[in-house]
Amino acid sequence: MAVSVAREHWSSRFAFLMAAIGSAVGLGNIWRFPFVTGENGGGAFILIYLITTTCIALPIVIAEVMLGRMGGQSPIGSLMQITRKHKKSVFWVLMAWGGTLGAFVVLSYYSVIGGWALKYVTLAASGTFGNLNGESSGEIFGAFIGDPMALIGWHTLFMGINIGIVIWGLHKGIERAVVFLMPLLFVLLVGMVFYAASTPGFERAVDFLFTFDFSKVTSNTFLMAIGQGFFSVSVALGAMMTYGAYLDEDVSIQNSAIIIVIADTGVAILAGLAVFPLVFSFALEPSAGPGLIFVTVPIAFGQMDAGLLVGTAFFVLLSVAAVTSAISLLEPAVAYMEEALTWSRKATAILVGGAAWTLGIASVLSFSDWSDFYPLAPLGVLVNQTVFDVFDFIVTSWVQPGVGIMMAIFAGWVLSRETVLDALNANDPNALWFRAWLFAVRVVCPIAVLLVFAGAVWPDFVASMMPNGGE
Ligand code: PHE
C-alpha cells in the first residue's frame, strides 16, 4: 500500500516555470518540430499547430497541473487521493498509470536520442563537420547509429546525468539545473537565430515558415499537429502533474500554463528560424525527416565561418533541452516508487532510471541488429516499424491522447464545478477564461482526441472527410 510522502515545494514560481518549460522544451521542439514542419509544408502546418495547441493541449495542461496540485503526490498517488476524497471510481487512477508508464517508455528512447545529441557536441567541437557533404554526413550519422556499443555508451551517459539530477531532489537537483540551464538554452537559441538571420537563406526560411499554403493541408496535417503539440508541451504523461504536485496553492495555474505553452511554442518557432535558414542557405532538403538536424545541419556548420562554435553551441543547446525534459520523464515513476516502496530517492532513482536504461537497449538495437525486427508485424499492424518506432507510436498516438481525454473528462465532467473552481483558485465561475477552459475540456478536447483515434484506426475514412480528400 502506497504511503503519502511529504513533498518539497518549488522555492518560487520562477523555479516551477523554468522546470515546466524545461520539461516542455526538448527534443520535441528542436529535433522533431523542424522536420515535422518541413515534411508538412511549413506555414500552414504552423498555423494549425498554433490553433490545436491553444484549443486542445493548453486546456489539458491546466487540468493536469491542477490534478497534481490537488493530490500533492506522484500522479498515481495523487489520483488515488483525489478519487478517494471526492468518492469517484478508482477507474480514473488508470490515467495516472498510463501516464507514468508512458513517460517511462518515452524516457527509455528519449535517452538514446539524448545520447546522440551529446555525441554530436563532441563531433562538432572536434571539427568533424569541416567539408562535409550530403553523402559523408549521412555516412557519419549512419555509422554512429549503426554501432550499438557507441550508442549504449552515450545513452548511459545521458541517463546517468538524469539519474544524478533526480537523486539530488527538487531543490538541489531539478531546480538548480533548470534555473541555470533554461536561460542558457534561451541565450544559445537566440544567438543561433541571429546567426541564421545573417545567412542568405533567411528570407526563404521566413517565407517557408510563415506562408500559409493550404493546398498542402490534409487530415494528416491536423493529426500530426495535435500529436506534435501533445508531445511538445509534455501533456498527459504525468510530468506536468508531478510538477504541479510541488506547486504552492497561491500560484495561478492557468497563467502559468499559458506562459509554458507560449514559451514552448516560441522555442519551437525559434528553432525553425535557426535551422531552416541553414537548410536553405546550403541548398539542403527541408523535408529530410528525422535526420534533419543530425545529417543536414552539420553540413551547414561545416561550411560556415564560425561553424565550430555555432555547431557546438547548437548541440549543447539540444543536449540541455533534452536533459531538462528527461528529468520530468523520470520524476513521475520515481515519485511513485518512493510512495510504494518507501525507499530512498537515491535507490528509487537508480532503480527506475536503470530499468528505463535497460529498456532503452531495445531502441539502441533498432538502429542496427534489430533494424529489420518489426515486433508488431505478426499482428498485421505497424508492419515496417522497429521497436523504437513502435514505442514512439504507441505513446504519442495512443497513450497521450488516451490519457489526455481522461484528464479532460475527469476535470470537466467527473469532478464538480465547485471542486474545480476551488482547485484553480477561481472565485468567479462566469469569468471568461474559466468558461472557455471548461468548454474546452468538456467538449473540444474529447472530440478532437476521438478524431485522432479515428485517424489512427481508419486513416482513409478520416482523410475522405477532409476538404481536399486527404491528398
Ligand atoms: N516535451 C518534451 C519534448 O518536447 C518531451 C516530453 C513529453 C517530456 C512528455 C515530458 C513529458 O521533447
Side-chain angles (χ1 to χ4, degrees):
M1 175 74 209
V3 294
S4 290
V5 172
R7 296 264 171 219
E8 291 179 290
H9 274 208
W10 301 107
S11 48
S12 64
R13 173 168 181 257
F14 178 73
F16 164 68
L17 284 176
M18 287 302 105
I21 294 172
S23 166
V25 172
L27 296 170
N29 305 59
I30 303 170
W31 165 65
R32 205 167 187 273
F33 183 82
F35 85 74
V36 174
T37 302
E39 286 177 335
N40 286 280
F45 175 81
I46 293 191
L47 186 68
I48 293 167
Y49 177 83
L50 292 179
I51 296 170
T52 54
T53 304
T54 312
C55 302
I56 304 163
L58 172 65
I60 304 182
V61 172
I62 296 177
E64 178 168 353
V65 177
M66 178 191 84
L67 292 173
R69 185 161 75 181
M70 286 174 77
Q73 297 291 304
S74 70
I76 296 166
S78 286
L79 260 299
M80 292 200 304
Q81 302 246 7
I82 298 169
T83 48
R84 208 176 302 133
K85 179 163 170 210
H86 296 278
K87 305 201 168 44
K88 306 296 178 197
S89 160
V90 288
F91 163 76
W92 296 102
V93 182
L94 208 62
M95 74 172 102
W97 276 103
T100 306
L101 288 173
F104 176 80
V105 172
V106 172
L107 177 63
S108 75
Y109 68 79
Y110 204 87
S111 169
V112 175
I113 314 279
W116 296 4
L118 292 176
K119 161 78 176 178
Y120 267 64
V121 172
T122 64
L123 288 184
S126 61
T128 313
F129 299 157
N131 297 321
L132 275 188
N133 57 30
E135 212 176 304
S136 52
S137 184
E139 272 167 19
I140 292 184
F141 183 64
F144 170 55
I145 65 170
D147 176 358
M149 283 332 272
L151 249 48
I152 288 176
W154 292 102
H155 166 51
T156 309
L157 178 64
F158 187 88
M159 190 67 89
I161 295 173
N162 277 300
I163 296 174
I165 294 174
V166 168
I167 286 178
W168 279 93
L170 194 67
H171 290 154
K172 285 201 217 121
I174 299 178
E175 270 190 16
R176 252 211 244 151
V178 292
V179 298
F180 164 69
L181 293 178
M182 291 313 291
L184 172 73
L185 180 143
F186 197 72
V187 171
L188 287 175
L189 188 57
V190 171
M192 280 286 301
V193 174
F194 269 106
Y195 177 83
S198 72
T199 63
F202 189 67
E203 217 167 297
R204 261 195 76 194
V206 170
D207 250 14
F208 177 75
L209 291 172
F210 303 111
T211 308
F212 308 129
D213 176 2
F214 285 99
S215 68
K216 301 224 177 82
V217 175
T218 67
S219 64
N220 202 38
T221 318
F222 281 89
L223 305 181
M224 292 300 286
I226 295 175
Q228 171 64 24
F230 269 45
F231 188 76
S232 189
V233 302
S234 297
V235 79
L237 287 182
M240 289 295 173
M241 204 188 281
T242 312
Y243 280 2
Y246 309 150
L247 187 62
D248 281 340
E249 287 303 324
D250 56 351
V251 174
S252 160
I253 290 178
Q254 61 276 17
N255 291 348
S256 306
I258 291 171
I259 295 172
I260 295 163
V261 170
I262 290 178
D264 183 66
T265 309
V267 168
I269 290 176
L270 283 177
L273 283 174
V275 169
F276 285 112
L278 305 184
V279 171
F280 291 122
S281 298
F282 296 98
L284 308 171
E285 211 23 79
S287 56
L292 184 68
I293 63 169
F294 290 103
V295 178
T296 61
V297 175
I299 303 173
F301 293 138
Q303 296 183 12
M304 67 176 67
D305 293 338
L308 199 78
L309 196 73
V310 181
T312 310
F314 180 80
F315 286 106
V316 168
L317 175 131
L318 187 67
S319 308
V320 166
V323 166
T324 55
S325 296
I327 48 188
S328 77
L329 289 164
L330 179 55
E331 182 67 19
V334 169
Y336 175 63
M337 287 305 207
E338 282 184 298
E339 292 157 13
L341 302 176
T342 63
W343 286 9
S344 72
R345 188 163 248 284
K346 188 169 170 187
T348 45
I350 293 173
L351 176 75
V352 176
W357 178 88
T358 309
L359 187 63
I361 306 285
S363 290
V364 164
L365 294 176
S366 300
F367 300 100
S368 49
D369 300 5
W370 290 4
S371 63
D372 296 329
F373 170 50
Y374 307 132
L376 297 189
L379 304 176
V381 285
L382 304 179
V383 285
N384 51 4
Q385 313 254 332
T386 61
V387 180
F388 170 80
D389 300 327
V390 168
F391 282 172
D392 183 58
F393 180 85
I394 289 178
V395 176
T396 53
S397 304
W398 290 98
V399 180
Q400 282 191 293
V403 170
I405 201 172
M406 286 183 82
M407 287 176 174
I409 292 173
F410 189 70
W413 296 101
V414 178
L415 292 176
S416 75
R417 213 180 154 89
E418 290 65 42
T419 306
V420 171
L421 272 169
D422 186 48
L424 289 174
N425 277 336
N427 25 34
D428 177 9
N430 293 318
L432 187 62
W433 75 263
F434 183 73
R435 286 173 33 201
W437 174 76
L438 204 57
F439 180 70
V441 285
R442 285 186 166 183
V443 182
V444 181
C445 301
I447 292 178
V449 171
L450 285 178
L451 278 177
V452 174
F453 282 145
V457 183
W458 306 290
D460 299 338
F461 170 70
V462 176
S464 69
M465 317 246 308
M466 295 299 295
N468 44 11
E471 288 310 313

